[in-house]
Amino acid sequence: MRFTVLFFAQARERAGRPHAIFEVPDGSRVSDAVAAIRSDYPQLDDLWPHLAVAVDGVLAPENAALRDGAEVALLPPVSGG
Amino acid sequence: MAALTRDRIDHDALLREAGRNDCGAVVLFLGTTRDHHEGRSVARLAYEAYEPMAREALATLEREALRRYAIASCTIVHRLGEVPIGEPSVAVVVAAAHRAAAYDASRWAMDELKRTVPIWKKEFFAGGGEDWVKGTKLEA
């Protein structure tokens, strides 16, 4: 199945693009998506401890299931206002 | 109603919309872009958001403010894209029968916004260089 990853702020700049599409085995979880992203984007390594992950617009724990076509967003620490 | 905009925030319009005959208080908070940060001179700022999630998070703050405080309305508007120095980047408008609840709700909503809404601010320094403002990690 496929998912789209969205990069924001520092993550977008480090990745060099706003989004990318990944293919992972059926039954994959958020942790599998993260592993796939980390493997393709090692330049994000030192950001990971600070990133939150949202799936389809909702913060998701590592063990949450992914659906085909999911939107996985990497969210650096927020600084609105 | 919660909104994200790339235009200048029209806070006069927000105030007009918030006014009600059963309210004795309308509190307007404007967050404005500042020309310095931690000793460095800032030339301009830019904001980006995960827009659908940010819009939903702002709407949740408005609903939660109404639940927690004795207020009649709460409206939050955040600007995105480049914001010139001295202009509002965010507006919170709260109307209430009495001022104490309006002040409290306004402050609560701004504090929560900074902690829970996926918006990011970047500063461009007058002497060159740029940096994302150190933020708060989102927690589920």
Side-chain angles (χ1 to χ4, degrees), chain A:
Chain A
M1 63 188 202
R2 304 176 116 195
F3 69 88
T4 301
V5 58
L6 305 180
F7 303 103
F8 289 98
Q10 302 95 310
R12 173 177 53 73
E13 291 181 345
R14 298 269 191 100
R17 58 197 308 173
H19 46 78
I21 291 176
F22 281 82
E23 191 82 43
V24 286
D26 286 354
S28 287
R29 297 181 175 277
V30 169
S31 52
D32 302 307
V34 167
I37 300 164
R38 289 191 77 143
S39 150
D40 277 18
Y41 292 90
Q43 66 269 44
L44 299 178
D45 272 354
D46 61 328
L47 275 185
W48 278 105
H50 310 287
L51 295 179
V53 178
V55 176
D56 296 326
V58 178
L59 293 177
E62 289 256 303
N63 62 359
L66 277 188
R67 64 171 182 89
D68 186 39
E71 187 173 273
V72 176
L74 302 190
L75 309 172
V78 299
S79 53

Side-chain angles (χ1 to χ4, degrees), chain B residues 57-100:
Chain B
L58 292 178
T60 300
L61 287 183
E62 291 179 351
R63 282 195 302 272
E64 188 62 17
L66 283 167
R67 202 181 65 76
R68 286 170 176 249
Y69 299 94
I71 60 174
S73 71
C74 175
T75 301
I76 310 172
V77 178
H78 204 296
R79 189 166 167 183
L80 300 178
E82 200 164 305
V83 180
I85 296 296
E87 290 191 13
S89 52
V90 61
V92 178
V93 183
V94 178
H98 305 285
R99 70 182 182 282

Side-chain angles (χ1 to χ4, degrees), chain B residues 3-24:
Chain B
L4 299 170
T5 178
R6 289 189 148 69
D7 301 322
R8 194 173 177 138
I9 293 174
D10 184 354
H11 51 270
D12 286 334
L14 294 173
L15 285 173
R16 276 196 304 276
E17 288 158 19
R20 294 165 45 140
N21 289 346
D22 62 349
C23 287

